[in-house]
Amino acid sequence: MTTTQAVEGSAAHENTGAERTVFLLAHTGRPAAIRSAELVVQGLLRSGIGVRVLAEEAADLPLPPEVQRVDSEQCAAEGCELLVVLGGDGTLLRGADFARTSGVPMLGVNLGRVGFLAEAERDDLDKVVDRVVTRAYEVEERMTLDVLVRNNGSVVHTDWALNEASVEKAARERMLEVVTEVDGRPVSRFGGDGVVCATPTGSTAYAFSAGGPVVWPEVEALLMVPISAHALFAKPLVTSPRSVLAVEVQPKTPHGVLWCDGRRSVELPAGARVEVRRGAVPVRLARLHHASFTDRLVAKFALPVAGWRGAPH
């Protein structure tokens, strides 16, 4: 199976029940998200599609009574045809929690800055509603990470990530001493700010800021990128998707912290070991466009391409 696997939305996501339902998640702290949510809800309801929202967000949204309110649980999207997320990267990563648990495809509308996970922009709301109504979208699967923390040989924490799992120093004034490992063999020991273990999806996020390579989403691989390492050899590594990456916090170093997608964290005592492998459950993304990742990269980062002439015909 490739990292991205497109299937027709109309064939794969038709509800067996009488009513189609879309789960809507919005960054209600942004006025733009509230207005966008109102427009999406109105468009879906007019087309006979039910809408479900989190009860905690409902109070901040101008919603008609027929909109379903549910508790903020990871299974809140269960049984829905699609998860539509309105917001920036943080909101999209929050939506990924629901998408992964339920298996429901996530369609992101970017209201932030870069928004690599998003498929549409705020000006595309009418198009988004139309594509949802007509099921004119495809779905691709994105690789995730399963993360495990050991201390004194015992598993003390498990987690997951869509973008990255990062082992970082907890104190600004002290370096974190670590040993990195790939497939049970040590690679390098160094002090620094930490290490990012990422998916191809996460290669344009934290790993990119740390100096890692951009990896096309259809490439199946894992990345290990040191953060500000004080070492002669502390280069970004690209490994097999079947590899197991490990970061060991050394015994005589200050404690560190594990961050998963920058959203969930757990303290790492000296001597802790973090193991990262390909996740057993992917996240499914709904796609509206057939644009290549190259074009997406150029657009999102506003890369200069003036002077390009293309291959001769």
Coordinates of all heavy atoms in Angstrom, one line a residue, residues 198-293:
A198 N 9.4 12.0 11.9 CA 8.3 12.5 11.2 C 7.9 11.6 10.0 O 8.6 10.7 9.6 CB 8.6 13.9 10.6
T199 N 6.6 11.8 9.6 CA 6.1 11.1 8.4 C 6.4 12.0 7.2 O 6.8 13.2 7.3 CB 4.6 10.9 8.5 OG1 4.0 12.2 8.6 CG2 4.2 10.1 9.8
P200 N 6.2 11.5 6.0 CA 6.2 12.4 4.8 C 5.3 13.6 4.9 O 5.6 14.7 4.5 CB 5.9 11.5 3.6 CG 6.4 10.1 4.1 CD 6.1 10.1 5.6
T201 N 4.1 13.4 5.5 CA 3.1 14.5 5.7 C 3.8 15.5 6.6 O 3.6 16.7 6.4 CB 1.8 13.9 6.3 OG1 1.2 13.0 5.4 CG2 0.9 15.1 6.6
G202 N 4.5 15.1 7.6 CA 5.1 16.0 8.6 C 6.4 16.6 8.1 O 7.0 17.5 8.8
S203 N 6.9 16.2 6.9 CA 8.2 16.7 6.4 C 8.1 18.2 6.1 O 9.1 18.9 6.0 CB 8.6 15.9 5.2 OG 7.8 16.2 4.0
T204 N 6.9 18.8 5.9 CA 6.8 20.2 5.6 C 6.4 21.0 6.9 O 6.1 22.2 6.8 CB 5.7 20.5 4.5 OG1 4.5 19.8 4.9 CG2 6.2 19.9 3.2
A205 N 6.4 20.3 8.0 CA 6.0 21.0 9.3 C 7.3 21.2 10.2 O 8.3 21.8 9.7 CB 5.0 20.1 10.0
Y206 N 7.3 20.7 11.4 CA 8.4 20.9 12.3 C 9.7 20.3 11.7 O 10.8 21.0 11.9 CB 8.1 20.2 13.6 CG 9.0 20.6 14.8 CD1 10.0 21.5 14.7 CD2 8.8 20.0 16.1 CE1 10.8 21.9 15.8 CE2 9.6 20.3 17.1 CZ 10.6 21.3 17.0 OH 11.4 21.6 18.1
A207 N 9.7 19.2 11.1 CA 10.9 18.6 10.6 C 11.5 19.5 9.5 O 12.8 19.6 9.4 CB 10.6 17.2 9.9
F208 N 10.7 20.2 8.8 CA 11.2 21.1 7.8 C 11.9 22.3 8.4 O 13.0 22.7 8.0 CB 10.0 21.6 6.9 CG 10.4 22.7 5.9 CD1 11.0 22.3 4.7 CD2 10.2 24.0 6.1 CE1 11.3 23.3 3.7 CE2 10.5 25.0 5.2 CZ 11.1 24.6 4.0
S209 N 11.3 22.8 9.5 CA 11.9 23.9 10.3 C 13.2 23.5 10.9 O 14.1 24.4 11.1 CB 11.0 24.4 11.3 OG 9.7 24.9 10.8
A210 N 13.4 22.2 11.2 CA 14.6 21.7 11.8 C 15.7 21.4 10.8 O 16.8 21.0 11.1 CB 14.3 20.5 12.7
G211 N 15.4 21.6 9.5 CA 16.4 21.4 8.4 C 16.2 20.1 7.7 O 17.1 19.7 7.0
G212 N 15.1 19.4 7.9 CA 14.9 18.1 7.2 C 14.4 18.3 5.8 O 14.0 19.4 5.4
P213 N 14.4 17.2 5.0 CA 14.0 17.3 3.6 C 12.5 17.3 3.4 O 11.8 16.8 4.3 CB 14.6 16.0 3.0 CG 14.6 15.1 4.1 CD 14.9 15.9 5.4
V214 N 12.1 17.9 2.3 CA 10.7 17.7 1.9 C 10.5 16.4 1.2 O 11.2 16.1 0.3 CB 10.2 18.9 1.0 CG1 8.8 18.6 0.5 CG2 10.3 20.2 1.7
V215 N 9.6 15.6 1.7 CA 9.3 14.3 1.2 C 7.9 14.2 0.6 O 6.9 14.6 1.2 CB 9.5 13.2 2.3 CG1 9.2 11.8 1.7 CG2 10.8 13.2 2.9
W216 N 7.8 13.8 -0.7 CA 6.5 13.8 -1.3 C 5.6 12.8 -0.6 O 6.0 11.7 -0.2 CB 6.7 13.4 -2.8 CG 6.8 14.5 -3.8 CD1 6.0 14.7 -4.9 CD2 7.7 15.7 -3.7 NE1 6.4 15.9 -5.5 CE2 7.4 16.5 -4.8 CE3 8.7 16.0 -2.8 CZ2 8.1 17.7 -5.0 CZ3 9.4 17.2 -3.1 CH2 9.1 18.0 -4.2
P217 N 4.3 13.1 -0.5 CA 3.4 12.3 0.4 C 3.3 10.8 -0.1 O 3.1 9.9 0.7 CB 2.1 13.0 0.2 CG 2.4 14.4 -0.1 CD 3.6 14.3 -1.0
E218 N 3.5 10.5 -1.4 CA 3.4 9.2 -1.8 C 4.6 8.3 -1.6 O 4.6 7.1 -1.8 CB 3.0 9.1 -3.3 CG 4.1 9.7 -4.2 CD 3.8 11.2 -4.6 OE1 3.1 11.8 -3.7 OE2 4.2 11.7 -5.6
V219 N 5.7 9.0 -1.1 CA 6.9 8.2 -0.7 C 6.7 7.6 0.7 O 6.3 8.3 1.6 CB 8.1 9.1 -0.7 CG1 9.3 8.4 -0.2 CG2 8.4 9.7 -2.1
E220 N 6.9 6.3 0.8 CA 6.7 5.7 2.1 C 8.1 5.7 2.8 O 9.0 5.0 2.3 CB 6.2 4.2 1.9 CG 4.8 4.2 1.3 CD 4.2 2.8 1.4 OE1 5.0 1.8 1.2 OE2 3.0 2.7 1.6
A221 N 8.2 6.4 3.8 CA 9.4 6.6 4.6 C 9.2 7.2 5.9 O 8.1 7.7 6.2 CB 10.4 7.5 3.8
L222 N 10.2 7.0 6.8 CA 10.2 7.7 8.1 C 11.4 8.7 8.1 O 12.4 8.4 7.5 CB 10.3 6.7 9.2 CG 9.1 5.7 9.4 CD1 9.4 4.7 10.5 CD2 7.8 6.4 9.6
L223 N 11.2 9.8 8.8 CA 12.3 10.8 8.9 C 12.8 10.9 10.3 O 12.0 10.8 11.3 CB 11.9 12.1 8.4 CG 11.7 12.4 6.9 CD1 10.5 11.7 6.4 CD2 11.6 13.9 6.6
M224 N 14.1 11.1 10.5 CA 14.7 11.4 11.8 C 15.5 12.7 11.6 O 16.5 12.6 10.9 CB 15.5 10.3 12.4 CG 16.1 10.6 13.7 SD 17.1 9.2 14.4 CE 15.8 8.2 15.2
V225 N 15.1 13.8 12.3 CA 15.8 15.1 12.1 C 16.3 15.6 13.4 O 15.4 16.0 14.2 CB 14.9 16.1 11.4 CG1 15.6 17.4 11.1 CG2 14.3 15.5 10.1
P226 N 17.6 15.7 13.6 CA 18.1 16.4 14.9 C 17.7 17.9 14.9 O 17.6 18.5 13.9 CB 19.6 16.2 14.8 CG 19.8 15.1 13.8 CD 18.7 15.2 12.8
I227 N 17.5 18.4 16.1 CA 17.2 19.8 16.3 C 18.4 20.5 16.9 O 18.7 20.2 18.1 CB 16.0 20.0 17.2 CG1 14.8 19.1 16.7 CG2 15.5 21.5 17.2 CD1 13.6 19.1 17.7
S228 N 19.1 21.4 16.2 CA 20.2 22.2 16.7 C 21.2 21.3 17.5 O 21.6 21.6 18.6 CB 19.7 23.3 17.7 OG 18.8 24.1 17.0
A229 N 21.6 20.3 16.8 CA 22.6 19.3 17.5 C 24.0 19.8 17.5 O 24.5 20.4 16.5 CB 22.5 18.0 16.7
H230 N 24.7 19.6 18.6 CA 26.1 19.9 18.7 C 26.9 18.7 18.4 O 27.3 17.9 19.3 CB 26.4 20.5 20.1 CG 25.8 21.8 20.4 ND1 26.6 22.9 20.6 CD2 24.5 22.2 20.5 CE1 25.8 24.0 20.8 NE2 24.6 23.6 20.8
A231 N 27.1 18.4 17.2 CA 27.7 17.1 16.8 C 28.3 17.2 15.4 O 27.7 18.0 14.5 CB 26.7 16.0 16.9
L232 N 29.3 16.4 15.1 CA 29.9 16.4 13.8 C 29.0 15.7 12.8 O 28.8 16.1 11.7 CB 31.2 15.7 13.8 CG 32.0 15.7 12.5 CD1 32.4 17.1 12.1 CD2 33.3 14.8 12.7
F233 N 28.3 14.6 13.2 CA 27.4 13.9 12.4 C 26.0 13.9 13.1 O 25.8 13.0 14.0 CB 27.8 12.5 12.1 CG 26.9 11.8 11.1 CD1 27.0 11.9 9.7 CD2 25.8 11.0 11.6 CE1 26.1 11.3 8.8 CE2 24.9 10.4 10.7 CZ 25.1 10.5 9.3
A234 N 25.2 14.8 12.7 CA 23.8 14.8 13.2 C 22.9 15.3 12.0 O 22.4 16.4 12.1 CB 23.7 15.7 14.4
K235 N 22.9 14.5 11.0 CA 22.2 14.9 9.8 C 20.8 14.3 9.7 O 20.5 13.2 10.3 CB 23.0 14.4 8.5 CG 24.4 15.0 8.4 CD 24.3 16.5 8.3 CE 25.7 17.1 8.2 NZ 25.7 18.6 8.1
P236 N 19.9 14.9 8.9 CA 18.6 14.2 8.8 C 18.7 12.9 8.1 O 19.5 12.7 7.2 CB 17.8 15.2 7.9 CG 18.5 16.5 8.0 CD 20.0 16.2 8.3
L237 N 17.9 11.9 8.6 CA 17.9 10.6 8.0 C 16.5 10.2 7.4 O 15.5 10.6 8.0 CB 18.3 9.5 9.1 CG 19.6 9.7 9.8 CD1 19.7 8.6 10.9 CD2 20.8 9.7 8.9
V238 N 16.5 9.6 6.3 CA 15.3 9.0 5.7 C 15.4 7.5 5.7 O 16.3 7.0 5.1 CB 15.1 9.6 4.3 CG1 13.8 9.0 3.7 CG2 15.0 11.1 4.3
T239 N 14.5 6.8 6.4 CA 14.6 5.4 6.5 C 13.4 4.7 5.9 O 12.4 5.3 5.4 CB 14.6 5.0 8.0 OG1 13.3 5.2 8.6 CG2 15.6 5.9 8.8
S240 N 13.5 3.4 5.9 CA 12.4 2.6 5.4 C 11.1 2.8 6.2 O 11.2 3.0 7.4 CB 12.8 1.1 5.5 OG 11.7 0.2 5.4
P241 N 9.9 2.6 5.7 CA 8.7 2.7 6.4 C 8.6 1.6 7.4 O 7.8 1.6 8.3 CB 7.6 2.7 5.4 CG 8.2 2.0 4.2 CD 9.7 2.4 4.2
R242 N 9.4 0.5 7.2 CA 9.3 -0.6 8.2 C 10.3 -0.5 9.3 O 10.4 -1.3 10.2 CB 9.6 -1.9 7.4 CG 8.6 -2.2 6.4 CD 8.9 -3.5 5.6 NE 10.2 -3.3 4.8 CZ 10.2 -2.6 3.6 NH1 9.1 -2.1 3.1 NH2 11.4 -2.5 3.0
S243 N 11.1 0.6 9.3 CA 12.1 0.8 10.3 C 11.5 1.2 11.7 O 10.3 1.7 11.7 CB 13.1 1.9 9.9 OG 13.9 1.5 8.9
V244 N 12.2 0.9 12.7 CA 11.8 1.4 14.1 C 12.9 2.4 14.5 O 14.1 2.1 14.6 CB 11.7 0.2 15.1 CG1 11.4 0.8 16.5 CG2 10.7 -0.8 14.6
L245 N 12.4 3.6 14.7 CA 13.3 4.7 15.2 C 13.2 4.8 16.7 O 12.2 4.6 17.3 CB 12.9 6.0 14.6 CG 12.7 6.1 13.1 CD1 12.3 7.5 12.6 CD2 13.8 5.5 12.3
A246 N 14.4 5.1 17.3 CA 14.4 5.2 18.8 C 15.3 6.4 19.2 O 16.3 6.6 18.5 CB 14.8 3.9 19.5
V247 N 14.9 7.0 20.2 CA 15.7 8.1 20.8 C 15.8 7.8 22.3 O 14.7 7.7 23.0 CB 15.0 9.5 20.6 CG1 15.9 10.6 21.2 CG2 14.8 9.8 19.1
E248 N 17.0 7.7 22.8 CA 17.2 7.4 24.2 C 17.7 8.7 24.9 O 18.7 9.2 24.5 CB 18.2 6.3 24.4 CG 17.7 4.9 23.9 CD 18.7 3.8 24.2 OE1 19.8 4.1 24.5 OE2 18.3 2.6 24.0
V249 N 17.0 9.1 25.9 CA 17.5 10.2 26.8 C 18.5 9.7 27.7 O 18.2 8.8 28.5 CB 16.3 10.9 27.5 CG1 16.8 12.0 28.4 CG2 15.2 11.3 26.6
Q250 N 19.7 10.3 27.7 CA 20.8 9.8 28.5 C 20.6 9.9 30.0 O 19.9 10.9 30.4 CB 22.1 10.4 28.0 CG 22.5 10.0 26.6 CD 22.6 8.5 26.5 OE1 23.5 7.9 26.9 NE2 21.6 7.9 25.9
P251 N 21.1 9.0 30.8 CA 20.9 9.0 32.3 C 21.3 10.3 33.0 O 20.6 10.7 33.9 CB 21.7 7.8 32.7 CG 21.8 6.9 31.5 CD 21.9 7.9 30.4
K252 N 22.4 10.9 32.6 CA 22.9 12.1 33.3 C 22.5 13.4 32.6 O 23.2 14.4 32.8 CB 24.4 12.0 33.5 CG 24.8 10.8 34.4 CD 26.3 10.7 34.6 CE 26.7 9.6 35.5 NZ 28.1 9.5 35.7
T253 N 21.4 13.4 31.9 CA 21.0 14.7 31.2 C 19.7 15.2 31.9 O 19.0 14.3 32.5 CB 20.8 14.4 29.7 OG1 20.6 15.7 29.0 CG2 19.5 13.6 29.5
P254 N 19.4 16.4 31.8 CA 18.1 16.9 32.3 C 16.9 16.2 31.6 O 17.1 15.7 30.5 CB 18.1 18.4 32.0 CG 19.5 18.7 31.8 CD 20.2 17.5 31.3
H255 N 15.8 16.1 32.2 CA 14.6 15.4 31.6 C 14.2 16.1 30.4 O 14.4 17.3 30.2 CB 13.5 15.3 32.6 CG 12.8 16.6 32.9 ND1 13.2 17.5 33.8 CD2 11.7 17.1 32.3 CE1 12.4 18.5 33.8 NE2 11.4 18.3 33.0
G256 N 13.5 15.4 29.5 CA 13.0 16.0 28.2 C 11.5 15.9 28.2 O 10.9 15.6 29.2
V257 N 11.0 16.2 27.0 CA 9.5 16.1 26.9 C 9.2 15.5 25.5 O 9.9 15.9 24.5 CB 8.9 17.5 27.0 CG1 9.4 18.5 26.1 CG2 7.4 17.4 27.0
L258 N 8.2 14.7 25.4 CA 7.8 14.2 24.1 C 6.5 14.9 23.7 O 5.6 15.1 24.4 CB 7.4 12.7 24.2 CG 6.6 12.1 23.1 CD1 7.5 12.0 21.8 CD2 6.1 10.7 23.5
W259 N 6.6 15.4 22.4 CA 5.4 16.1 21.9 C 4.9 15.3 20.6 O 5.8 15.0 19.8 CB 5.8 17.6 21.4 CG 5.9 18.5 22.5 CD1 7.0 18.9 23.2 CD2 4.8 19.3 23.1 NE1 6.7 19.9 24.1 CE2 5.4 20.1 24.1 CE3 3.5 19.3 22.9 CZ2 4.6 21.0 24.9 CZ3 2.7 20.2 23.6 CH2 3.3 21.0 24.6
C260 N 3.7 15.1 20.6 CA 3.1 14.4 19.4 C 2.2 15.4 18.7 O 1.2 15.9 19.2 CB 2.2 13.2 19.8 SG 3.3 11.8 20.4
D261 N 2.6 15.8 17.4 CA 1.9 16.8 16.6 C 1.8 18.1 17.3 O 0.9 18.9 17.0 CB 0.5 16.3 16.2 CG 0.6 15.3 15.1 OD1 1.6 15.2 14.4 OD2 -0.4 14.5 14.9
G262 N 2.7 18.4 18.3 CA 2.7 19.7 19.0 C 1.4 19.9 19.8 O 1.2 21.0 20.3
R263 N 0.6 18.8 20.0 CA -0.6 18.9 20.7 C -0.6 18.2 22.1 O -1.3 18.7 23.0 CB -1.8 18.4 19.9 CG -1.9 19.1 18.5 CD -3.2 18.6 17.8 NE -4.4 19.0 18.6 CZ -5.2 18.1 19.2 NH1 -4.9 16.8 19.2 NH2 -6.2 18.5 19.9
R264 N 0.0 17.0 22.1 CA 0.0 16.2 23.3 C 1.4 16.0 23.8 O 2.3 15.8 23.0 CB -0.7 14.9 23.0 CG -2.1 15.0 22.5 CD -2.6 13.6 22.1 NE -1.8 13.0 21.1 CZ -1.9 13.2 19.8 NH1 -2.8 14.1 19.3 NH2 -1.2 12.6 18.9
S265 N 1.7 16.1 25.1 CA 3.0 16.0 25.6 C 3.1 15.2 26.8 O 2.1 15.0 27.6 CB 3.6 17.4 25.9 OG 2.8 18.0 27.0
V266 N 4.2 14.6 27.1 CA 4.5 13.8 28.3 C 6.0 14.0 28.7 O 6.8 14.1 27.8 CB 4.2 12.3 28.1 CG1 5.0 11.7 27.0 CG2 4.3 11.5 29.4
E267 N 6.2 14.1 30.0 CA 7.6 14.3 30.4 C 8.4 13.0 30.2 O 7.9 11.9 30.4 CB 7.6 14.7 31.9 CG 9.0 15.1 32.4 CD 9.0 15.6 33.9 OE1 8.2 16.5 34.1 OE2 9.7 15.0 34.7
L268 N 9.7 13.2 29.8 CA 10.6 12.1 29.7 C 11.7 12.2 30.7 O 12.6 13.1 30.6 CB 11.2 12.1 28.3 CG 10.3 12.0 27.1 CD1 11.0 12.2 25.8 CD2 9.6 10.7 27.1
P269 N 11.7 11.3 31.7 CA 12.8 11.4 32.7 C 14.1 10.9 32.1 O 14.1 10.3 31.0 CB 12.3 10.4 33.8 CG 11.4 9.5 33.0 CD 10.7 10.3 32.0
A270 N 15.2 11.3 32.7 CA 16.5 10.8 32.2 C 16.5 9.3 32.2 O 16.0 8.6 33.1 CB 17.6 11.3 33.2
G271 N 17.0 8.8 31.1 CA 17.0 7.3 30.9 C 15.8 6.8 30.1 O 15.7 5.6 29.8
A272 N 14.8 7.7 29.8 CA 13.6 7.2 29.0 C 14.0 6.9 27.6 O 15.0 7.4 27.0 CB 12.5 8.3 29.1
R273 N 13.2 6.0 27.0 CA 13.4 5.6 25.6 C 12.1 5.8 24.8 O 11.1 5.3 25.3 CB 13.9 4.2 25.6 CG 14.0 3.5 24.2 CD 14.3 2.1 24.3 NE 14.2 1.4 23.0 CZ 15.2 1.3 22.1 NH1 16.4 1.8 22.4 NH2 15.1 0.6 21.0
V274 N 12.2 6.5 23.7 CA 11.0 6.7 22.8 C 11.2 5.9 21.6 O 12.2 6.0 20.9 CB 10.9 8.2 22.5 CG1 9.7 8.4 21.5 CG2 10.7 9.0 23.8
E275 N 10.2 5.1 21.2 CA 10.3 4.3 20.0 C 9.2 4.7 19.1 O 8.0 4.9 19.5 CB 10.1 2.8 20.3 CG 11.2 2.2 21.2 CD 11.0 0.8 21.6 OE1 9.9 0.2 21.2 OE2 11.8 0.2 22.3
V276 N 9.5 4.9 17.8 CA 8.6 5.4 16.8 C 8.6 4.4 15.6 O 9.6 4.1 15.1 CB 9.0 6.8 16.3 CG1 8.0 7.3 15.3 CG2 9.0 7.8 17.5
R277 N 7.4 4.0 15.2 CA 7.3 3.2 14.1 C 6.0 3.6 13.2 O 5.2 4.4 13.7 CB 7.1 1.7 14.5 CG 6.0 1.5 15.6 CD 5.9 0.0 16.0 NE 7.1 -0.7 16.4 CZ 7.7 -0.6 17.6 NH1 7.2 0.2 18.5 NH2 8.8 -1.2 17.8
R278 N 5.9 3.0 12.1 CA 4.7 3.3 11.2 C 3.5 3.0 12.0 O 3.3 1.9 12.6 CB 4.8 2.5 9.9 CG 3.7 2.8 9.0 CD 3.8 2.0 7.7 NE 2.8 2.4 6.7 CZ 2.9 2.2 5.4 NH1 4.0 1.7 5.0 NH2 1.9 2.6 4.6
G279 N 2.5 3.9 11.9 CA 1.2 3.7 12.6 C 0.4 2.6 12.0 O 0.4 2.4 10.7
A280 N -0.3 1.9 12.8 CA -1.2 0.8 12.3 C -2.4 1.4 11.6 O -3.0 0.7 10.8 CB -1.6 -0.1 13.4
V281 N -2.8 2.6 12.0 CA -4.1 3.2 11.5 C -3.7 4.5 10.8 O -3.2 5.4 11.4 CB -5.1 3.5 12.6 CG1 -6.4 4.1 12.1 CG2 -5.4 2.2 13.4
P282 N -4.0 4.6 9.5 CA -3.7 5.9 8.8 C -4.8 6.9 9.0 O -5.9 6.6 9.6 CB -3.8 5.4 7.3 CG -4.8 4.3 7.3 CD -4.6 3.6 8.6
V283 N -4.6 8.1 8.6 CA -5.6 9.2 8.5 C -6.0 9.4 7.1 O -5.1 9.4 6.2 CB -5.0 10.5 9.1 CG1 -5.9 11.7 8.8 CG2 -4.9 10.4 10.6
R284 N -7.3 9.5 6.8 CA -7.8 9.6 5.5 C -8.1 11.1 5.2 O -8.8 11.7 6.0 CB -9.0 8.7 5.3 CG -8.7 7.3 5.7 CD -10.0 6.5 5.8 NE -10.5 6.1 4.4 CZ -11.7 5.7 4.2 NH1 -12.6 5.6 5.1 NH2 -12.0 5.3 2.9
L285 N -7.6 11.6 4.1 CA -7.8 13.0 3.7 C -8.7 13.0 2.4 O -8.4 12.3 1.5 CB -6.5 13.7 3.5 CG -5.6 13.8 4.6 CD1 -4.3 14.6 4.2 CD2 -6.2 14.5 5.8
A286 N -9.7 13.9 2.4 CA -10.5 14.1 1.2 C -9.9 15.1 0.4 O -9.4 16.2 0.9 CB -11.9 14.5 1.6
R287 N -9.8 14.8 -0.9 CA -9.1 15.7 -1.8 C -10.1 16.2 -2.9 O -10.9 15.4 -3.5 CB -8.0 15.0 -2.5 CG -6.8 14.7 -1.6 CD -6.3 16.0 -1.0 NE -5.0 15.9 -0.3 CZ -4.5 16.7 0.6 NH1 -5.3 17.8 0.9 NH2 -3.4 16.6 1.2
L288 N -10.1 17.5 -3.2 CA -10.9 18.1 -4.2 C -10.1 18.3 -5.5 O -10.8 18.5 -6.6 CB -11.5 19.4 -3.8 CG -12.2 19.5 -2.4 CD1 -12.7 20.9 -2.1 CD2 -13.4 18.5 -2.4
H289 N -8.8 18.4 -5.4 CA -8.0 18.8 -6.6 C -7.1 17.7 -7.0 O -6.7 16.9 -6.2 CB -7.2 20.1 -6.3 CG -8.0 21.2 -5.7 ND1 -9.0 21.9 -6.4 CD2 -8.1 21.7 -4.4 CE1 -9.5 22.8 -5.6 NE2 -9.0 22.7 -4.4
H290 N -6.7 17.7 -8.3 CA -5.7 16.8 -8.8 C -4.3 17.4 -8.9 O -3.5 16.9 -9.6 CB -6.2 16.2 -10.1 CG -7.4 15.3 -9.9 ND1 -7.3 14.0 -9.4 CD2 -8.7 15.5 -10.2 CE1 -8.5 13.5 -9.4 NE2 -9.4 14.4 -9.9
A291 N -4.1 18.6 -8.4 CA -2.9 19.3 -8.5 C -1.7 18.5 -7.9 O -1.9 17.8 -6.9 CB -2.9 20.7 -7.8
S292 N -0.6 18.5 -8.5 CA 0.6 17.8 -8.0 C 1.1 18.4 -6.7 O 0.8 19.5 -6.4 CB 1.7 17.8 -9.1 OG 2.3 19.1 -9.1
F293 N 1.8 17.5 -5.9 CA 2.4 18.0 -4.7 C 3.4 19.1 -5.0 O 3.6 20.1 -4.2 CB 3.0 16.9 -3.9 CG 3.6 17.4 -2.6 CD1 2.9 17.7 -1.5 CD2 5.0 17.5 -2.5 CE1 3.4 18.1 -0.4 CE2 5.6 17.9 -1.3 CZ 4.8 18.2 -0.2

